[in-house]
Amino acid sequence: ALRGGAIAGAGLDVLEKEPPDQDNVLPTMDNVVVTPHFAGASDESNLRALQFGETRQTACLKTSHY
């Protein structure tokens, strides 16, 4: 589908096998972007995750549901 144009492009954060085999064509295709699995990790995303966890913990403590 990527080669034939049915799908214009793909951004992939996870591959079936990491690191990919040398013969895996996906990382070499012009219309494919492959990033390491940790590509979503940033200062901003880490802060949001911490804030979400803090909100959930506070809610649990306030309702006494552990």
Side-chain angles (χ1 to χ4, degrees), residues 2-3 10 12-35:
L2 286 165
R3 286 183 185 155
L12 306 171
D13 184 37
V14 179
L15 296 174
E16 186 175 348
K17 183 176 180 190
E18 294 185 18
D21 290 328
Q22 292 288 332
D23 62 349
N24 188 330
V25 297
L26 286 172
T28 66
M29 297 178 71
D30 290 335
N31 58 344
V32 176
V33 175
V34 180
T35 61

Side-chain angles (χ1 to χ4, degrees), residues 38-53:
F38 62 86
S42 67
D43 290 341
E44 183 180 343
S45 65
N46 290 337
L47 178 59
R48 284 196 315 260
L50 287 170
Q51 290 169 333
F52 176 77

